[in-house]
Amino acid sequence: MITETRLPVALRGYDRTQVDALLERITATLRHGRWGVTADDVRRTRFDIVLRGYDQRAVDELLQEAIRELQSTGPIGYRPRRPQVHPGWLIGWIQNAKFPSSGMRAGYDVRDVDAFLDRVVAGLRGYAAPMTARDIRECAFRTVRIGHGYDEGEVDRFLLQLAAALERH
């Protein structure tokens, strides 16, 4: 348990009274289920530096452990989630994507890729059925051997990032 940990004292370190008070609040939260302290509260906490205080690195490591415990035991409404992606930002990101040419190698047909991304944008704007992350991962494009094509690796990496962003949307 967090309060049972003996913290080393350093010549200059965190104020022991302030650290002990926070650790007591964290312990009460974890033991009794009262949500008086959240992981964000712990992250925002700053301590005074004093002579004969707790070793800063040891306290920081202990607080990182406390943050993990608070996140894993908090009620569903308090558990961290990935931040949502704003549709306007996502549309701009898609529209500004530039893919290098495949050169003399086979590449994805430019028209297919562009049309697919236009459908994704239309879905984000509400003009068409929204595309899901699964739709993005399962899409397939024709390849061109001669002519203008997009580099397949670059398009595939972009689509993986797009699928991850849509999961957060």
Side-chain angles (χ1 to χ4, degrees), residues 63 97 114 136:
L63 292 180
D114 290 344
I136 304 295

Side-chain angles (χ1 to χ4, degrees), residues 1-16:
M1 185 57 77
I2 291 174
T3 55
E4 297 167 0
T5 304
R6 286 195 57 124
L7 292 166
V9 175
L11 179 61
R12 290 181 48 82
Y14 291 142
D15 185 298
R16 297 188 321 198

